[in-house]
Amino acid sequence: MSDIVQLFVSGISTGAIYALAAMGFTLLWQTTGTINFAQGEFVMLPAFIMLAAMNLLDVGLLSAFVISLVVSMVLLGAAFKRALVDPMAHHGVLPLIIATIALGIFMKEAVKTFYSAEAQPFAAFAPEGAMRIGPVSVSIENIAVLAVAVVAILALQLFLQRTFAGRCMQAVAQNRESARILGVPVERMVLYTFLINAALATLAALLVTPTYLAKFDNGESLGLIAFIAAIVGGFNQMRGALAGGLLIGLIDNFTAVYISTQYRHAIPLILLIVVILFRPQGLFGRAEERRL
Amino acid sequence: MQVSHSLKVWALSAGAGALGLMAASAVVPAQNAKTVLMINAIELSGGGATVGTNWRDAVDMAVKDINGAGGILGRKIIVKHFDTQSKPGISKAVITKALDEKPYVVLGPIYSSSTKVNMVVTRRAGVPHIVGSEAASITQTGNPFIFRTSFGQSASMPKLANYLKDEVKAKSVAVVWVNNAFGKGGRDNAVKELKARGIAIAADISTEVQQADFSAEVVKAKQSGADVLFAYLHEEESARLLIELKKQGYDKQIVGETTLTSQKVLDLAKDAANGVKGHVGLTADANIPAIREFARRFEAAYGRKPDHNGIKGYVAVHVVKEITERMGKFDQKGFADALHCTTITTEQEPGVLMDISYDKNGDVDRASFLVEVRDGKQVVTGVLPKLGNAVGC
């Protein structure tokens, strides 16, 4: 029982990080039709910005996170939108996908060149070690990761549903032209989406890097898993990406312990195939029709 | 007419000589009378970047030292570094291209999977090949050109198993290993040696190269109830495993072989590495003046402490120097013959840092160390003598 609880906690805490990245996928897709294949690198880069801030400016982790948040929102939010998405969006989904793949490669190589190809240690934001809850021993860091991720996700949901700006963003996501006719400042709402995506990626970097260590190629696996999570949960629903992330995290951990460590990465892909075959809109997504 | 005939003979002789020289230049290593070329095919990116960077920097340092003292037989060393990207496929392509430059010797790589493909190419070319890899199978193929710089697993695992039985008093062990040539070879040798000493394998857990999340593996190890966890992974993965073990409050003894207590792992894992014990073939913390001095100079040059891969890279270049100087000429076949069944002492060549012996297969024998990590530093707790059982000599 103790093992199952431990696995559940660590699986769901890892899954919450996947969910943060996966939600970025859905946000950008809903508002601009962008599938950002550099999403994994969007999580990798803020970790290095935090490291650079800590090493060069001699600031603590929290201050480095704030600096990274601002820089990421400028670079990975506003600049990404203006310099890459806006000019490419008119050419359709495929060129934009290829452009984001190229961006991901560029970001990886840039970090490798200017920082290092070697993994770097990264400070944990929560105390290490385990705490006992009755007979069960769980990692304090996992609990903290889970708590921060849940608070972030709840805050985002509240923002989207309870604020004027959030409802405008949803309107843009549902029907951009109607929103424009109703007076919603569409371009600003789209910009907000990119800024939120950058913020989510920075938060994911803070949570995941102490365990993964900071390395230029961290984004490869993280981006792929987040993409799978978004597809499995539902690419057009935030709650779908959330559920997909948590599900993948749990499946990954339970598979490794109770089925096989060798095939742990295959199971999410099998799940992806099954979902695409039997419920293409994802577990929590809504079916979309397109008239040709 | 007589003059004309002599001119023809002279012209033909000169032409033949020129052709001979051209032909010779095609088979003799591309080096002029003043230089000798070494190719260093090593992991400079990908999962092995950490180890490869240490090796490369130490090779550069050795080359600088040797060139500063006049080179090898009066020739300056030129070393060219090639990045294998830690991938066997890339590594093979790299070494195939690099051999076009006709090097005298090839150094690296460290990842056994890459070495296993590269050594086929260097053997075909007849180029001596000195590697940092540890997979047992590398020196078991009868390749006369392959040489290690550190223990193979067939030498290190018996030492480790003795340590677990006699010092740690382990009754059962959970083995966590990386599923590639390096890890599988280590796992197979470790399991064989542990079982031979009556130690049970409570869990046999394979992991992947560049794996990031070890939470499930740690739960499995905890479930097994083993007295000891033996980890045999690459440096970055070792650090991630240690971090996860600490996160989950793992309280049993953690033991490793060389990589687990290497400097890079300590740098990455920080406090999570405290208390880890292990057997290491080489360590910058060894109480040997030559190693201490090397480590001091390396740290001054590169701003970080060298790990065992740095020591291996430094030793590799000095082994080339010593054997070549013993022969008194640059002869690749002769080099390979001369390095088998031989010992290089630090009196003969101080750059080897510790006395080192080679057997018939190119395996290394030398003293080794028992270590423990205390306050983030590797502390040597014991010295194990050379095995002294050189195969085939």
Side-chain angles (χ1 to χ4, degrees), chain A residues 5-6 8-17 19-20 125-126 138-154 203 207 242 246 250, chain B residues 247:
Chain A
V5 173
Q6 276 181 24
F8 184 81
V9 171
S10 68
I12 213 154
S13 113
T14 310
I17 299 168
L20 289 175
F125 75 99
V138 291
S139 158
I140 298 170
E141 199 176 331
N142 281 345
I143 297 280
V145 165
L146 185 58
V148 171
V150 166
V151 167
I153 290 163
L154 286 176
L203 186 62
L207 302 183
L242 172 63
L246 297 178
L250 286 172
Chain B
K247 263 172 75 175

PDB file of all heavy atoms in Angstrom, chain A residues 5-6 8-17 19-20 125-126 138-154 203 207 242 246 250, chain B residues 247:
ATOM      1  N   VAL A   5       0.969   4.314  -2.797  1.00  0.00           N
ATOM      2  CA  VAL A   5       0.782   5.741  -2.484  1.00  0.00           C
ATOM      3  C   VAL A   5       1.996   6.544  -2.974  1.00  0.00           C
ATOM      4  O   VAL A   5       1.848   7.610  -3.582  1.00  0.00           O
ATOM      5  CB  VAL A   5       0.561   5.941  -0.966  1.00  0.00           C
ATOM      6  CG1 VAL A   5       0.535   7.432  -0.620  1.00  0.00           C
ATOM      7  CG2 VAL A   5      -0.732   5.282  -0.526  1.00  0.00           C
ATOM      8  N   GLN A   6       3.192   5.998  -2.719  1.00  0.00           N
ATOM      9  CA  GLN A   6       4.405   6.693  -3.185  1.00  0.00           C
ATOM     10  C   GLN A   6       4.397   6.862  -4.700  1.00  0.00           C
ATOM     11  O   GLN A   6       4.720   7.922  -5.228  1.00  0.00           O
ATOM     12  CB  GLN A   6       5.638   5.882  -2.801  1.00  0.00           C
ATOM     13  CG  GLN A   6       6.104   6.141  -1.400  1.00  0.00           C
ATOM     14  CD  GLN A   6       7.346   5.320  -1.073  1.00  0.00           C
ATOM     15  OE1 GLN A   6       8.074   4.924  -1.954  1.00  0.00           O
ATOM     16  NE2 GLN A   6       7.547   5.072   0.188  1.00  0.00           N
ATOM     17  N   PHE A   8       1.835   6.820  -6.629  1.00  0.00           N
ATOM     18  CA  PHE A   8       0.757   7.728  -7.018  1.00  0.00           C
ATOM     19  C   PHE A   8       1.216   9.174  -6.863  1.00  0.00           C
ATOM     20  O   PHE A   8       1.043   9.996  -7.778  1.00  0.00           O
ATOM     21  CB  PHE A   8      -0.482   7.455  -6.163  1.00  0.00           C
ATOM     22  CG  PHE A   8      -1.666   8.278  -6.560  1.00  0.00           C
ATOM     23  CD1 PHE A   8      -2.464   7.904  -7.639  1.00  0.00           C
ATOM     24  CD2 PHE A   8      -1.966   9.446  -5.881  1.00  0.00           C
ATOM     25  CE1 PHE A   8      -3.545   8.686  -8.016  1.00  0.00           C
ATOM     26  CE2 PHE A   8      -3.039  10.237  -6.254  1.00  0.00           C
ATOM     27  CZ  PHE A   8      -3.836   9.855  -7.325  1.00  0.00           C
ATOM     28  N   VAL A   9       1.841   9.460  -5.725  1.00  0.00           N
ATOM     29  CA  VAL A   9       2.276  10.844  -5.470  1.00  0.00           C
ATOM     30  C   VAL A   9       3.348  11.266  -6.484  1.00  0.00           C
ATOM     31  O   VAL A   9       3.269  12.339  -7.083  1.00  0.00           O
ATOM     32  CB  VAL A   9       2.802  10.993  -4.026  1.00  0.00           C
ATOM     33  CG1 VAL A   9       3.457  12.358  -3.830  1.00  0.00           C
ATOM     34  CG2 VAL A   9       1.671  10.818  -3.032  1.00  0.00           C
ATOM     35  N   SER A  10       4.358  10.381  -6.688  1.00  0.00           N
ATOM     36  CA  SER A  10       5.422  10.785  -7.614  1.00  0.00           C
ATOM     37  C   SER A  10       4.905  10.834  -9.047  1.00  0.00           C
ATOM     38  O   SER A  10       5.289  11.707  -9.822  1.00  0.00           O
ATOM     39  CB  SER A  10       6.646   9.878  -7.492  1.00  0.00           C
ATOM     40  OG  SER A  10       6.356   8.599  -7.949  1.00  0.00           O
ATOM     41  N   GLY A  11       3.992   9.908  -9.384  1.00  0.00           N
ATOM     42  CA  GLY A  11       3.426   9.905 -10.741  1.00  0.00           C
ATOM     43  C   GLY A  11       2.596  11.134 -11.008  1.00  0.00           C
ATOM     44  O   GLY A  11       2.716  11.766 -12.067  1.00  0.00           O
ATOM     45  N   ILE A  12       1.793  11.500 -10.032  1.00  0.00           N
ATOM     46  CA  ILE A  12       0.901  12.641 -10.249  1.00  0.00           C
ATOM     47  C   ILE A  12       1.689  13.953 -10.188  1.00  0.00           C
ATOM     48  O   ILE A  12       1.346  14.932 -10.868  1.00  0.00           O
ATOM     49  CB  ILE A  12      -0.271  12.605  -9.246  1.00  0.00           C
ATOM     50  CG1 ILE A  12      -1.505  13.188  -9.904  1.00  0.00           C
ATOM     51  CG2 ILE A  12       0.021  13.308  -7.958  1.00  0.00           C
ATOM     52  CD1 ILE A  12      -2.784  12.689  -9.326  1.00  0.00           C
ATOM     53  N   SER A  13       2.765  13.951  -9.413  1.00  0.00           N
ATOM     54  CA  SER A  13       3.566  15.185  -9.373  1.00  0.00           C
ATOM     55  C   SER A  13       4.333  15.373 -10.676  1.00  0.00           C
ATOM     56  O   SER A  13       4.423  16.476 -11.213  1.00  0.00           O
ATOM     57  CB  SER A  13       4.478  15.165  -8.141  1.00  0.00           C
ATOM     58  OG  SER A  13       5.794  15.074  -8.451  1.00  0.00           O
ATOM     59  N   THR A  14       4.880  14.261 -11.227  1.00  0.00           N
ATOM     60  CA  THR A  14       5.524  14.366 -12.546  1.00  0.00           C
ATOM     61  C   THR A  14       4.479  14.722 -13.595  1.00  0.00           C
ATOM     62  O   THR A  14       4.719  15.547 -14.492  1.00  0.00           O
ATOM     63  CB  THR A  14       6.182  13.016 -12.927  1.00  0.00           C
ATOM     64  OG1 THR A  14       6.982  12.581 -11.840  1.00  0.00           O
ATOM     65  CG2 THR A  14       7.038  13.144 -14.160  1.00  0.00           C
ATOM     66  N   GLY A  15       3.310  14.095 -13.475  1.00  0.00           N
ATOM     67  CA  GLY A  15       2.236  14.352 -14.434  1.00  0.00           C
ATOM     68  C   GLY A  15       1.788  15.804 -14.412  1.00  0.00           C
ATOM     69  O   GLY A  15       1.422  16.368 -15.448  1.00  0.00           O
ATOM     70  N   ALA A  16       1.834  16.422 -13.239  1.00  0.00           N
ATOM     71  CA  ALA A  16       1.417  17.827 -13.139  1.00  0.00           C
ATOM     72  C   ALA A  16       2.368  18.719 -13.945  1.00  0.00           C
ATOM     73  O   ALA A  16       1.946  19.711 -14.543  1.00  0.00           O
ATOM     74  CB  ALA A  16       1.404  18.257 -11.674  1.00  0.00           C
ATOM     75  N   ILE A  17       3.652  18.334 -13.967  1.00  0.00           N
ATOM     76  CA  ILE A  17       4.618  19.112 -14.766  1.00  0.00           C
ATOM     77  C   ILE A  17       4.328  18.916 -16.254  1.00  0.00           C
ATOM     78  O   ILE A  17       4.339  19.868 -17.034  1.00  0.00           O
ATOM     79  CB  ILE A  17       6.061  18.688 -14.424  1.00  0.00           C
ATOM     80  CG1 ILE A  17       6.347  18.966 -12.946  1.00  0.00           C
ATOM     81  CG2 ILE A  17       7.058  19.429 -15.297  1.00  0.00           C
ATOM     82  CD1 ILE A  17       7.620  18.345 -12.426  1.00  0.00           C
ATOM     83  N   ALA A  19       1.514  18.310 -17.421  1.00  0.00           N
ATOM     84  CA  ALA A  19       0.255  19.020 -17.673  1.00  0.00           C
ATOM     85  C   ALA A  19       0.511  20.497 -17.944  1.00  0.00           C
ATOM     86  O   ALA A  19      -0.126  21.093 -18.825  1.00  0.00           O
ATOM     87  CB  ALA A  19      -0.684  18.840 -16.487  1.00  0.00           C
ATOM     88  N   LEU A  20       1.445  21.081 -17.191  1.00  0.00           N
ATOM     89  CA  LEU A  20       1.745  22.513 -17.408  1.00  0.00           C
ATOM     90  C   LEU A  20       2.214  22.738 -18.851  1.00  0.00           C
ATOM     91  O   LEU A  20       1.792  23.695 -19.511  1.00  0.00           O
ATOM     92  CB  LEU A  20       2.826  22.978 -16.436  1.00  0.00           C
ATOM     93  CG  LEU A  20       2.429  23.099 -14.962  1.00  0.00           C
ATOM     94  CD1 LEU A  20       3.652  23.448 -14.119  1.00  0.00           C
ATOM     95  CD2 LEU A  20       1.352  24.163 -14.782  1.00  0.00           C
ATOM     96  N   PHE A 125      13.636  23.738  -5.142  1.00  0.00           N
ATOM     97  CA  PHE A 125      12.906  24.856  -4.533  1.00  0.00           C
ATOM     98  C   PHE A 125      12.205  24.430  -3.243  1.00  0.00           C
ATOM     99  O   PHE A 125      11.705  25.253  -2.497  1.00  0.00           O
ATOM    100  CB  PHE A 125      11.885  25.439  -5.518  1.00  0.00           C
ATOM    101  CG  PHE A 125      10.673  24.590  -5.700  1.00  0.00           C
ATOM    102  CD1 PHE A 125       9.495  24.861  -5.031  1.00  0.00           C
ATOM    103  CD2 PHE A 125      10.729  23.483  -6.528  1.00  0.00           C
ATOM    104  CE1 PHE A 125       8.389  24.057  -5.196  1.00  0.00           C
ATOM    105  CE2 PHE A 125       9.632  22.671  -6.688  1.00  0.00           C
ATOM    106  CZ  PHE A 125       8.461  22.957  -6.017  1.00  0.00           C
ATOM    107  N   ALA A 126      12.201  23.101  -3.000  1.00  0.00           N
ATOM    108  CA  ALA A 126      11.564  22.587  -1.789  1.00  0.00           C
ATOM    109  C   ALA A 126      12.566  21.714  -1.042  1.00  0.00           C
ATOM    110  O   ALA A 126      13.520  21.227  -1.640  1.00  0.00           O
ATOM    111  CB  ALA A 126      10.333  21.773  -2.162  1.00  0.00           C
ATOM    112  N   VAL A 138       6.455   9.670   1.807  1.00  0.00           N
ATOM    113  CA  VAL A 138       6.375  10.347   0.509  1.00  0.00           C
ATOM    114  C   VAL A 138       7.386  11.492   0.448  1.00  0.00           C
ATOM    115  O   VAL A 138       7.744  12.079   1.467  1.00  0.00           O
ATOM    116  CB  VAL A 138       4.956  10.908   0.209  1.00  0.00           C
ATOM    117  CG1 VAL A 138       3.974   9.786  -0.034  1.00  0.00           C
ATOM    118  CG2 VAL A 138       4.489  11.810   1.325  1.00  0.00           C
ATOM    119  N   SER A 139       7.819  11.778  -0.764  1.00  0.00           N
ATOM    120  CA  SER A 139       8.811  12.823  -0.974  1.00  0.00           C
ATOM    121  C   SER A 139       8.207  14.203  -0.746  1.00  0.00           C
ATOM    122  O   SER A 139       7.157  14.535  -1.299  1.00  0.00           O
ATOM    123  CB  SER A 139       9.343  12.711  -2.410  1.00  0.00           C
ATOM    124  OG  SER A 139       9.885  13.932  -2.803  1.00  0.00           O
ATOM    125  N   ILE A 140       8.906  14.991   0.069  1.00  0.00           N
ATOM    126  CA  ILE A 140       8.419  16.365   0.341  1.00  0.00           C
ATOM    127  C   ILE A 140       8.429  17.173  -0.957  1.00  0.00           C
ATOM    128  O   ILE A 140       7.509  17.947  -1.233  1.00  0.00           O
ATOM    129  CB  ILE A 140       9.318  17.047   1.396  1.00  0.00           C
ATOM    130  CG1 ILE A 140       9.258  16.268   2.713  1.00  0.00           C
ATOM    131  CG2 ILE A 140       8.926  18.495   1.614  1.00  0.00           C
ATOM    132  CD1 ILE A 140      10.286  16.705   3.737  1.00  0.00           C
ATOM    133  N   GLU A 141       9.470  16.961  -1.761  1.00  0.00           N
ATOM    134  CA  GLU A 141       9.587  17.727  -3.000  1.00  0.00           C
ATOM    135  C   GLU A 141       8.443  17.397  -3.958  1.00  0.00           C
ATOM    136  O   GLU A 141       7.904  18.288  -4.623  1.00  0.00           O
ATOM    137  CB  GLU A 141      10.932  17.434  -3.657  1.00  0.00           C
ATOM    138  CG  GLU A 141      11.329  18.496  -4.663  1.00  0.00           C
ATOM    139  CD  GLU A 141      12.712  18.237  -5.242  1.00  0.00           C
ATOM    140  OE1 GLU A 141      13.555  17.642  -4.562  1.00  0.00           O
ATOM    141  OE2 GLU A 141      12.926  18.630  -6.400  1.00  0.00           O
ATOM    142  N   ASN A 142       8.075  16.108  -4.003  1.00  0.00           N
ATOM    143  CA  ASN A 142       6.958  15.738  -4.882  1.00  0.00           C
ATOM    144  C   ASN A 142       5.667  16.412  -4.452  1.00  0.00           C
ATOM    145  O   ASN A 142       4.883  16.886  -5.277  1.00  0.00           O
ATOM    146  CB  ASN A 142       6.768  14.214  -4.877  1.00  0.00           C
ATOM    147  CG  ASN A 142       7.774  13.502  -5.762  1.00  0.00           C
ATOM    148  OD1 ASN A 142       8.427  14.136  -6.582  1.00  0.00           O
ATOM    149  ND2 ASN A 142       7.914  12.217  -5.585  1.00  0.00           N
ATOM    150  N   ILE A 143       5.460  16.436  -3.136  1.00  0.00           N
ATOM    151  CA  ILE A 143       4.251  17.096  -2.614  1.00  0.00           C
ATOM    152  C   ILE A 143       4.280  18.579  -2.981  1.00  0.00           C
ATOM    153  O   ILE A 143       3.266  19.151  -3.409  1.00  0.00           O
ATOM    154  CB  ILE A 143       4.188  16.946  -1.071  1.00  0.00           C
ATOM    155  CG1 ILE A 143       4.083  15.469  -0.683  1.00  0.00           C
ATOM    156  CG2 ILE A 143       3.039  17.763  -0.490  1.00  0.00           C
ATOM    157  CD1 ILE A 143       2.731  14.858  -0.791  1.00  0.00           C
ATOM    158  N   ALA A 144       5.450  19.191  -2.814  1.00  0.00           N
ATOM    159  CA  ALA A 144       5.573  20.626  -3.110  1.00  0.00           C
ATOM    160  C   ALA A 144       5.352  20.900  -4.599  1.00  0.00           C
ATOM    161  O   ALA A 144       4.660  21.859  -4.962  1.00  0.00           O
ATOM    162  CB  ALA A 144       6.946  21.125  -2.679  1.00  0.00           C
ATOM    163  N   VAL A 145       5.919  20.049  -5.450  1.00  0.00           N
ATOM    164  CA  VAL A 145       5.737  20.206  -6.899  1.00  0.00           C
ATOM    165  C   VAL A 145       4.254  20.123  -7.236  1.00  0.00           C
ATOM    166  O   VAL A 145       3.706  20.959  -7.974  1.00  0.00           O
ATOM    167  CB  VAL A 145       6.524  19.120  -7.667  1.00  0.00           C
ATOM    168  CG1 VAL A 145       6.063  19.044  -9.124  1.00  0.00           C
ATOM    169  CG2 VAL A 145       8.016  19.396  -7.608  1.00  0.00           C
ATOM    170  N   LEU A 146       3.622  19.127  -6.657  1.00  0.00           N
ATOM    171  CA  LEU A 146       2.198  18.927  -6.920  1.00  0.00           C
ATOM    172  C   LEU A 146       1.390  20.142  -6.462  1.00  0.00           C
ATOM    173  O   LEU A 146       0.520  20.642  -7.189  1.00  0.00           O
ATOM    174  CB  LEU A 146       1.742  17.654  -6.194  1.00  0.00           C
ATOM    175  CG  LEU A 146       0.312  17.203  -6.443  1.00  0.00           C
ATOM    176  CD1 LEU A 146       0.075  16.973  -7.925  1.00  0.00           C
ATOM    177  CD2 LEU A 146       0.024  15.925  -5.663  1.00  0.00           C
ATOM    178  N   ALA A 147       1.719  20.629  -5.264  1.00  0.00           N
ATOM    179  CA  ALA A 147       0.979  21.763  -4.716  1.00  0.00           C
ATOM    180  C   ALA A 147       1.126  23.000  -5.601  1.00  0.00           C
ATOM    181  O   ALA A 147       0.137  23.668  -5.934  1.00  0.00           O
ATOM    182  CB  ALA A 147       1.474  22.056  -3.305  1.00  0.00           C
ATOM    183  N   VAL A 148       2.364  23.279  -6.004  1.00  0.00           N
ATOM    184  CA  VAL A 148       2.601  24.474  -6.832  1.00  0.00           C
ATOM    185  C   VAL A 148       1.885  24.339  -8.175  1.00  0.00           C
ATOM    186  O   VAL A 148       1.239  25.283  -8.657  1.00  0.00           O
ATOM    187  CB  VAL A 148       4.124  24.687  -7.045  1.00  0.00           C
ATOM    188  CG1 VAL A 148       4.374  25.782  -8.078  1.00  0.00           C
ATOM    189  CG2 VAL A 148       4.800  25.042  -5.737  1.00  0.00           C
ATOM    190  N   ALA A 149       1.995  23.141  -8.769  1.00  0.00           N
ATOM    191  CA  ALA A 149       1.353  22.941 -10.074  1.00  0.00           C
ATOM    192  C   ALA A 149      -0.166  23.072  -9.969  1.00  0.00           C
ATOM    193  O   ALA A 149      -0.803  23.707 -10.822  1.00  0.00           O
ATOM    194  CB  ALA A 149       1.729  21.564 -10.629  1.00  0.00           C
ATOM    195  N   VAL A 150      -0.726  22.513  -8.913  1.00  0.00           N
ATOM    196  CA  VAL A 150      -2.186  22.586  -8.749  1.00  0.00           C
ATOM    197  C   VAL A 150      -2.627  24.035  -8.555  1.00  0.00           C
ATOM    198  O   VAL A 150      -3.608  24.495  -9.163  1.00  0.00           O
ATOM    199  CB  VAL A 150      -2.633  21.702  -7.550  1.00  0.00           C
ATOM    200  CG1 VAL A 150      -4.060  22.026  -7.146  1.00  0.00           C
ATOM    201  CG2 VAL A 150      -2.512  20.228  -7.925  1.00  0.00           C
ATOM    202  N   VAL A 151      -1.883  24.770  -7.730  1.00  0.00           N
ATOM    203  CA  VAL A 151      -2.227  26.185  -7.504  1.00  0.00           C
ATOM    204  C   VAL A 151      -2.156  26.948  -8.829  1.00  0.00           C
ATOM    205  O   VAL A 151      -3.051  27.754  -9.155  1.00  0.00           O
ATOM    206  CB  VAL A 151      -1.272  26.814  -6.454  1.00  0.00           C
ATOM    207  CG1 VAL A 151      -1.399  28.333  -6.439  1.00  0.00           C
ATOM    208  CG2 VAL A 151      -1.559  26.249  -5.075  1.00  0.00           C
ATOM    209  N   ALA A 152      -1.114  26.678  -9.615  1.00  0.00           N
ATOM    210  CA  ALA A 152      -0.958  27.379 -10.896  1.00  0.00           C
ATOM    211  C   ALA A 152      -2.113  27.056 -11.839  1.00  0.00           C
ATOM    212  O   ALA A 152      -2.661  27.936 -12.502  1.00  0.00           O
ATOM    213  CB  ALA A 152       0.376  26.989 -11.540  1.00  0.00           C
ATOM    214  N   ILE A 153      -2.478  25.782 -11.867  1.00  0.00           N
ATOM    215  CA  ILE A 153      -3.557  25.373 -12.779  1.00  0.00           C
ATOM    216  C   ILE A 153      -4.892  25.978 -12.330  1.00  0.00           C
ATOM    217  O   ILE A 153      -5.666  26.480 -13.151  1.00  0.00           O
ATOM    218  CB  ILE A 153      -3.632  23.828 -12.842  1.00  0.00           C
ATOM    219  CG1 ILE A 153      -2.396  23.280 -13.584  1.00  0.00           C
ATOM    220  CG2 ILE A 153      -4.910  23.366 -13.530  1.00  0.00           C
ATOM    221  CD1 ILE A 153      -2.138  21.810 -13.377  1.00  0.00           C
ATOM    222  N   LEU A 154      -5.131  25.952 -11.017  1.00  0.00           N
ATOM    223  CA  LEU A 154      -6.377  26.543 -10.501  1.00  0.00           C
ATOM    224  C   LEU A 154      -6.413  28.048 -10.785  1.00  0.00           C
ATOM    225  O   LEU A 154      -7.441  28.593 -11.183  1.00  0.00           O
ATOM    226  CB  LEU A 154      -6.490  26.288  -8.996  1.00  0.00           C
ATOM    227  CG  LEU A 154      -6.850  24.856  -8.595  1.00  0.00           C
ATOM    228  CD1 LEU A 154      -6.842  24.720  -7.077  1.00  0.00           C
ATOM    229  CD2 LEU A 154      -8.219  24.470  -9.160  1.00  0.00           C
ATOM    230  N   LEU A 203       7.392  28.014 -15.137  1.00  0.00           N
ATOM    231  CA  LEU A 203       7.036  27.326 -13.892  1.00  0.00           C
ATOM    232  C   LEU A 203       7.393  25.836 -13.990  1.00  0.00           C
ATOM    233  O   LEU A 203       7.947  25.250 -13.040  1.00  0.00           O
ATOM    234  CB  LEU A 203       5.529  27.494 -13.619  1.00  0.00           C
ATOM    235  CG  LEU A 203       5.049  26.941 -12.282  1.00  0.00           C
ATOM    236  CD1 LEU A 203       5.728  27.655 -11.116  1.00  0.00           C
ATOM    237  CD2 LEU A 203       3.533  27.049 -12.158  1.00  0.00           C
ATOM    238  N   LEU A 207       9.986  23.517 -11.623  1.00  0.00           N
ATOM    239  CA  LEU A 207       9.571  22.300 -10.919  1.00  0.00           C
ATOM    240  C   LEU A 207      10.345  21.063 -11.371  1.00  0.00           C
ATOM    241  O   LEU A 207      10.651  20.186 -10.570  1.00  0.00           O
ATOM    242  CB  LEU A 207       8.070  22.057 -11.135  1.00  0.00           C
ATOM    243  CG  LEU A 207       7.122  23.177 -10.695  1.00  0.00           C
ATOM    244  CD1 LEU A 207       5.672  22.757 -10.900  1.00  0.00           C
ATOM    245  CD2 LEU A 207       7.342  23.538  -9.237  1.00  0.00           C
ATOM    246  N   LEU A 242      -4.698  18.847 -19.000  1.00  0.00           N
ATOM    247  CA  LEU A 242      -4.426  18.604 -17.581  1.00  0.00           C
ATOM    248  C   LEU A 242      -4.566  17.113 -17.261  1.00  0.00           C
ATOM    249  O   LEU A 242      -3.669  16.486 -16.677  1.00  0.00           O
ATOM    250  CB  LEU A 242      -5.394  19.438 -16.736  1.00  0.00           C
ATOM    251  CG  LEU A 242      -5.397  19.193 -15.239  1.00  0.00           C
ATOM    252  CD1 LEU A 242      -4.045  19.537 -14.643  1.00  0.00           C
ATOM    253  CD2 LEU A 242      -6.483  20.024 -14.558  1.00  0.00           C
ATOM    254  N   LEU A 246      -1.550  14.298 -16.216  1.00  0.00           N
ATOM    255  CA  LEU A 246      -1.594  13.506 -14.983  1.00  0.00           C
ATOM    256  C   LEU A 246      -1.636  12.007 -15.298  1.00  0.00           C
ATOM    257  O   LEU A 246      -0.962  11.194 -14.659  1.00  0.00           O
ATOM    258  CB  LEU A 246      -2.823  13.899 -14.143  1.00  0.00           C
ATOM    259  CG  LEU A 246      -2.851  15.347 -13.652  1.00  0.00           C
ATOM    260  CD1 LEU A 246      -4.138  15.629 -12.884  1.00  0.00           C
ATOM    261  CD2 LEU A 246      -1.644  15.659 -12.765  1.00  0.00           C
ATOM    262  N   LEU A 250       1.124   9.097 -14.233  1.00  0.00           N
ATOM    263  CA  LEU A 250       0.754   7.910 -13.441  1.00  0.00           C
ATOM    264  C   LEU A 250       1.084   6.626 -14.193  1.00  0.00           C
ATOM    265  O   LEU A 250       1.671   5.688 -13.632  1.00  0.00           O
ATOM    266  CB  LEU A 250      -0.744   7.947 -13.113  1.00  0.00           C
ATOM    267  CG  LEU A 250      -1.164   8.957 -12.042  1.00  0.00           C
ATOM    268  CD1 LEU A 250      -2.679   9.041 -11.959  1.00  0.00           C
ATOM    269  CD2 LEU A 250      -0.589   8.560 -10.682  1.00  0.00           C
TER     270      LEU A 250
ATOM    271  N   LYS B 247      15.304  12.126  -2.434  1.00  0.00           N
ATOM    272  CA  LYS B 247      13.921  12.649  -2.397  1.00  0.00           C
ATOM    273  C   LYS B 247      12.982  11.674  -1.708  1.00  0.00           C
ATOM    274  O   LYS B 247      12.112  12.047  -0.949  1.00  0.00           O
ATOM    275  CB  LYS B 247      13.416  12.877  -3.832  1.00  0.00           C
ATOM    276  CG  LYS B 247      13.535  14.298  -4.330  1.00  0.00           C
ATOM    277  CD  LYS B 247      13.199  14.377  -5.801  1.00  0.00           C
ATOM    278  CE  LYS B 247      11.715  14.273  -6.061  1.00  0.00           C
ATOM    279  NZ  LYS B 247      11.408  14.464  -7.496  1.00  0.00           N
TER     280      LYS B 247
END
